[in-house]
Amino acid sequence: MAQKPSIPKGTRDFSPNEMARRNYIFDTIKSVFKLYGFRQIETPAMENLSTLMGKYGEEGDKLLFKILNSGDFMKDVRDEDIASRNLARLTNEMCEKGLRYDLTVPFARFVVQYRGQLQMPFKRYQIQPVWRADRPQKGRYREFYQCDADVVGSDSLWNEIELLSMIDMVFSRLKVRVAIKINNRKILSGIAELIGAADKIVDITVAIDKIDKIGIENVNAELREKGLPDEVIERLRPLLEMSGSNAEKIQALSTMLAGSETGMKGVEELRTVIEGFDALGHNCIADVDVSLARGLNYYTGTIIEVKALDVEIGSITGGGRYDNLTGVFGMPGLSGVGISFGADRIYDVLNQLNLYPEGVSQSVKVLFVNFGEKEAAAAARIVKSLREEGVAAELYPDAAKMKKQMAYADSSSIPYVAIIGESELEAGVVNLKDMASGEQSQLTPEKLVEKLSEIH
Amino acid sequence: MAQKPSIPKGTRDFSPNEMARRNYIFDTIKSVFKLYGFRQIETPAMENLSTLMGKYGEEGDKLLFKILNSGDFMKDVRDEDIASRNLARLTNEMCEKGLRYDLTVPFARFVVQYRGQLQMPFKRYQIQPVWRADRPQKGRYREFYQCDADVVGSDSLWNEIELLSMIDMVFSRLKVRVAIKINNRKILSGIAELIGAADKIVDITVAIDKIDKIGIENVNAELREKGLPDEVIERLRPLLEMSGSNAEKIQALSTMLAGSETGMKGVEELRTVIEGFDALGHNCIADVDVSLARGLNYYTGTIIEVKALDVEIGSITGGGRYDNLTGVFGMPGLSGVGISFGADRIYDVLNQLNLYPEGVSQSVKVLFVNFGEKEAAAAARIVKSLREEGVAAELYPDAAKMKKQMAYADSSSIPYVAIIGESELEAGVVNLKDMASGEQSQLTPEKLVEKLSEIH
């Protein structure tokens, strides 16, 4: 069968160098999650299809990877469904399980399943791959990681402030300049109420989003085209002309939405979150943006989105508050708020800007060259001492040509090479070469262990 | 649909406490892999079925989870296969992909696919879940983790010695007492040669394994039953009576197998590995065990298996040398040697013996009680300073009843609770309570940050 092996389209292998870079991102996110008291859970890759179906819309159902039942998968298949090639019913008859599509629905399922054992508020983080049968394209994969942190069981806006602060810390640590955009779903509801056109709210947010690019008159023309009456467009003018600081925008919204109770609640929430975040101090820009409407049907309060300032790429992190995540599993009334870091896009950003710390791909600190059995035996003892001191070290396993052993050190970004040849063995010393500077020094084994333990 | 949600049988959710324990194990294994210069790779959960099928025997093919093609999965299905309910052909027509069954075949696929870019010897580790449609039972899951470390492209027995040393370090760090059993496939071949009954080698290893339990005469009776002639059984006697130290066993094998070139090569390899391992010093017992025959068709040299001494459970780690892992993908002649830590069984062992370090489930170091907006705002600033110093800390998000907030601290194993009430706010101090001792102290925010930064 010796065909050249490959992997399914839309999936990826990660080499040691890629893993080192990805781990740098995951470890950074994870360390921040932990500093903020989020605790890790994991859920299985396979969920029952009854858990997944109907949660992501009709299109989402099609994008779920379904797993063929093991054993006789044909036993519940009905002839009429075969005859009519009824794919939905055949799927249902042949597959009980699917791969998770995101981490949110499994989390909701988890919360409901273990409701009796969870102490509320429950702050969890989860870093696992998800699978979508999307058409693969640049930057879109069929298997990719999500890094989610959510709090359920608390209505407090402190949670929103903490999430913003967490975003600030993650990107400060990664040295990525970002802007956080913030909105509130209730403000959008207030606007819809005000103009008496709830069904037009998506058109309106899309239009607002274009103001900077095409100007207010073109936006108004577009809204007219979408069927909004002139009188409504006039009422939207303060929204479209809104500018200045967050405080000024909040003031304008507060004036405009005075007649909508829901809208005013949204404005107050937004004010509390922005002021709370500002009071704590932060590095990144946080901008009120009423055009932000991600997952309109899903969020019920704060909406958050993060964009990189120095790379043209979509949102790299997003989230918000939802009030009925667990309702679909029979546990209504539990409020939650969370964010999801898009690890794969963040990886693209760091790659483009080359923001990795020096030595990120370094595997071990020192490679001992192998000159034959006697020399290798002496080296192996020193390697053991180094490892016991926490210094990653290797002995090249074969007494291969020097050139080959050096190429190995080079390809693994190993900063030091230690040589024990016949003369060193006799003298009881090691010749240590700094690969960057080319400098060499002769050390006793003890001194060498000491020296390498001290270098970080 | 509000049915009580559940997960597929044979799969598991992991709670924060379980994750903390599992991460302790994974992190320990990972840190040792790194100290020894193994570098991480990851491969996709889904592989092409052409990569997976035929690699695990006929039974294995049935245990692969297959993924239904997305889109019109019926388009290549032939009516005659439906009519005859030909499951193998239908699977083939409807499914291109499957979930990986282990990490070994994906690794072999990886090595062949990127052969031009890999520097040999290539030392990789991989820690990822695998899936098997096995009947679930106690200790056997349909989704579980494997932790594999392999070296390909080097014949040197130093690799074996390193792997043994790695096993020793992992279990020393985990404080699990283990025995390593070692054998060599060539010794088994030599025995088969010697007695002229290659097809009986499995029966023989099974019989040897029972010596301690049933005695040599019963073993001989069993071998006779299996059809071995008396004369052959007599020739096996030195093997069955073998006892004493590793050196004595190796001596006995060397006498017995003098007539078999392959057998003698196995004995020499075994001697080199055992002596090399002993010369470096180690904590665990390493025992020559000629009854060890795991994966007989797979291994070609050293065979390793690890058992816990204090818990009745199967092998918790195993591995060995294989000479043709990549041959099936068109790259023959590449020798490899590796081990696989059975994380789920190791988890069971640590749970049974309760070997986790104190504080393994601890989430944050301090919880700030929330007494209302003004107090919370002051607490939030201190929480921020703590996090900047690397101290995990939380503010309870709601001004809930004290009892509820304390229950939260308790359930998350938080060792300190900080209180800023009205009087503390006025005095500019924090009341810090040590949850274990009940001791309370009043500190300035600066002193509190200093104190908690110093406690590990």
Side-chain angles (χ1 to χ4, degrees), chain A residues 357-377:
Chain A
E358 214 187 320
V360 72
S361 301
Q362 185 186 308
S363 54
V364 302
K365 205 175 275 176
V366 58
L367 174 75
F368 280 73
V369 175
N370 187 331
F371 284 103
E373 282 314 297
K374 250 180 17 203
E375 294 85 353

Side-chain angles (χ1 to χ4, degrees), chain A residues 240-301:
Chain A
L240 301 179
E241 286 177 339
M242 211 168 66
S243 70
S245 68
N246 287 334
E248 284 163 340
K249 287 184 194 165
I250 289 170
Q251 188 50 47
L253 284 169
S254 157
T255 309
M256 186 183 166
L257 294 172
S260 157
E261 199 186 321
T262 305
M264 284 310 285
K265 189 148 194 304
V267 174
E268 280 320 303
E269 288 182 6
L270 187 61
R271 189 200 306 274
T272 304
V273 171
I274 289 277
E275 287 180 1
F277 183 50
D278 284 345
L280 288 175
H282 45 78
N283 297 318
C284 65
I285 306 159
D287 256 339
V288 169
D289 181 350
V290 287
S291 74
L292 182 63
R294 50 183 287 137
L296 194 61
N297 297 315
Y298 179 72
Y299 293 116
T300 52

Side-chain angles (χ1 to χ4, degrees), chain B residues 107-316:
Chain B
F107 174 53
R109 193 263 310 144
F110 182 98
V111 169
V112 176
Q113 193 170 335
Y114 306 102
R115 61 217 283 178
Q117 299 150 53
L118 300 178
Q119 180 76 31
M120 293 296 168
F122 181 54
K123 293 168 71 172
R124 86 85 169 83
Y125 79 86
Q126 192 169 355
I127 299 182
Q128 291 192 280
V130 302
W131 294 268
R132 297 183 186 177
D134 252 324
R135 191 173 299 277
Q137 57 185 57
K138 190 176 174 309
R140 193 200 280 165
Y141 306 102
R142 292 186 148 191
E143 170 175 303
F144 59 97
Y145 271 79
Q146 290 193 335
C147 307
D148 284 20
D150 291 81
V151 189
V152 291
S154 165
D155 295 326
S156 164
L157 295 171
W158 276 112
N159 297 301
E160 274 88 336
I161 296 168
E162 292 262 286
L163 292 177
L164 292 175
S165 170
M166 210 152 80
I167 290 170
D168 187 51
M169 193 186 258
V170 164
F171 291 108
S172 296
R173 290 188 171 196
L174 292 176
K175 301 187 177 26
V176 176
R177 296 199 319 130
V178 298
I180 306 180
K181 293 175 181 299
I182 312 179
N183 195 9
N184 192 298
R185 174 67 174 92
K186 297 190 184 83
I187 290 176
L188 296 175
S189 303
I191 294 167
E193 226 178 83
L194 195 74
I195 60 173
D199 59 320
K200 291 286 186 289
I201 195 71
V202 171
D203 293 336
I204 293 170
T205 60
V206 167
I208 299 171
D209 196 33
K210 289 189 190 164
I211 288 250
D212 286 342
K213 276 193 210 130
I214 63 174
I216 190 161
E217 292 319 318
N218 287 318
V219 165
N220 281 345
E222 205 174 297
L223 287 174
R224 222 167 281 128
E225 228 171 81
K226 297 276 183 192
L228 257 76
D230 282 345
E231 177 236 5
V232 166
I233 292 174
E234 204 43 48
R235 245 183 286 159
L236 279 172
R237 188 169 280 273
L239 198 67
L240 301 178
E241 286 178 336
M242 211 166 66
S243 69
S245 68
N246 287 334
E248 284 163 342
K249 286 185 195 165
I250 289 171
Q251 187 51 48
L253 284 169
S254 157
T255 308
M256 185 182 166
L257 294 170
S260 156
E261 199 183 326
T262 306
M264 283 310 284
K265 190 150 194 301
V267 174
E268 279 321 304
E269 288 182 7
L270 188 61
R271 188 199 306 273
T272 304
V273 171
I274 290 276
E275 288 182 0
F277 183 51
D278 285 345
L280 289 175
H282 45 79
N283 298 318
C284 66
I285 307 158
D287 255 339
V288 169
D289 181 349
V290 288
S291 75
L292 182 63
R294 50 183 289 135
L296 193 64
N297 297 315
Y298 179 73
Y299 293 116
T300 52
T302 301
I303 307 173
I304 301 168
E305 189 168 270
V306 181
K307 294 211 165 176
L309 293 177
D310 303 313
V311 174
E312 276 290 336
I313 201 166
S315 149
I316 57 177

Side-chain angles (χ1 to χ4, degrees), chain A residues 13-14 17 23 36 39-40 42 45 66 68 109 114 123 143 154 156 162 361 387 394 397-398, chain B residues 13-14 17 23 35-36 39-40 42 45 66 68 109 114 123 143 154 156 162 361 387 394 397-398:
Chain A
D13 287 314
F14 295 109
N17 284 339
N23 282 337
Y36 281 74
R39 306 183 71 200
Q40 191 173 15
E42 279 188 5
K66 286 107 185 168
L68 201 63
R109 193 262 311 144
Y114 307 100
K123 294 167 72 174
E143 169 174 301
S154 165
S156 165
E162 292 261 284
S361 301
R387 289 170 180 159
E394 310 183 63
D398 305 273
Chain B
D13 287 314
F14 295 107
N17 284 339
N23 282 337
L35 281 177
Y36 280 75
R39 307 184 71 200
Q40 191 174 16
E42 279 188 6
K66 285 106 184 168
L68 200 63
R109 193 263 310 144
Y114 306 102
K123 293 168 71 172
E143 170 175 303
S154 165
S156 164
E162 292 262 286
S361 301
R387 289 169 180 160
E394 301 184 70
D398 306 272

Side-chain angles (χ1 to χ4, degrees), chain A residues 62-73:
Chain A
K62 286 190 196 141
L63 298 184
L64 292 170
F65 280 112
K66 286 107 185 168
I67 294 162
L68 201 63
N69 291 341
S70 38
D72 182 6
F73 54 84

Side-chain angles (χ1 to χ4, degrees), chain A residues 74-179:
Chain A
M74 292 296 285
K75 77 176 189 306
D76 295 328
V77 170
R78 291 186 302 186
D79 292 334
E80 71 234 53
D81 296 329
I82 294 174
S84 63
R85 295 290 209 244
N86 186 326
L87 296 178
R89 278 162 78 165
L90 287 169
T91 302
N92 196 34
E93 289 156 2
M94 295 193 294
C95 303
E96 274 172 9
K97 295 180 284 288
L99 294 178
R100 69 175 159 250
Y101 179 91
D102 68 5
L103 302 179
T104 308
V105 166
F107 175 54
R109 193 262 311 144
F110 182 97
V111 169
V112 176
Q113 193 169 334
Y114 307 100
R115 62 217 285 180
Q117 300 149 54
L118 299 178
Q119 181 75 29
M120 294 292 168
F122 180 54
K123 294 167 72 174
R124 86 85 169 80
Y125 79 86
Q126 192 170 354
I127 300 181
Q128 291 191 281
V130 302
W131 294 268
R132 296 183 186 178
D134 252 326
R135 191 173 297 278
Q137 56 184 58
K138 190 179 175 309
R140 193 200 282 164
Y141 305 103
R142 292 186 147 191
E143 169 174 301
F144 59 98
Y145 271 80
Q146 290 193 333
C147 308
D148 284 18
D150 291 79
V151 189
V152 292
S154 165
D155 295 326
S156 165
L157 294 172
W158 276 113
N159 296 303
E160 273 88 337
I161 296 168
E162 292 261 284
L163 292 177
L164 292 176
S165 169
M166 209 152 81
I167 290 170
D168 188 51
M169 194 185 259
V170 164
F171 291 109
S172 297
R173 288 186 171 198
L174 292 175
K175 300 187 175 32
V176 176
R177 296 197 320 128
V178 297

Side-chain angles (χ1 to χ4, degrees), chain B residues 65-77:
Chain B
F65 280 112
K66 285 106 184 168
I67 295 162
L68 200 63
N69 291 340
S70 41
D72 182 5
F73 54 84
M74 292 294 286
K75 77 176 191 304
D76 295 327
V77 170

